[in-house]
Amino acid sequence: IIKAEDTIYVIEVKAITRPITEEMIEKLVKVVEKLKEKFPKVGGILIQLGTGEITLPAVARAIKNGIIIITKQGVRLLAKKLDYPIP
């Protein structure tokens, strides 16, 4: 969990070989919704570092609930942009 300006972000890192499923996104959504009871601005971020793919239903659920997904390639691009060693 990290606070940036006026928004709290729940960040979950998945470094697994299995596919990221809709159920995994739903767990993150539940945590975000629970925090929204106390804080008005809460967002969720899922970072995919493993070799598992992200299923289409998982992507749809994330979009529907405002969850940001950062893929392995996205992490590499962010690291390059910020001049960090590429993972």
Side-chain angles (χ1 to χ4, degrees), residues 2-3 8 12 21 28 42 46 51 53 62 67 74 77-78 86-87:
I2 189 169
K3 185 174 182 183
I8 295 173
E12 184 172 349
T21 64
L28 181 57
V42 180
L46 184 125
T51 57
E53 297 294 321
I67 302 295
L77 291 172
L78 283 171
I86 296 175

Side-chain angles (χ1 to χ4, degrees), residues 49-67:
L49 292 180
T51 57
E53 297 294 321
I54 303 171
T55 65
L56 290 178
V59 172
R61 175 70 69 166
I63 291 170
K64 180 180 176 185
N65 291 285
I67 302 295

Side-chain angles (χ1 to χ4, degrees), residues 14-20 48-55 71-72:
K14 292 285 187 185
I16 58 176
T17 56
R18 295 181 289 126
I20 294 174
Q48 177 226 14
L49 292 180
T51 57
E53 297 294 321
I54 303 171
T55 65
T71 62
K72 196 175 200 178

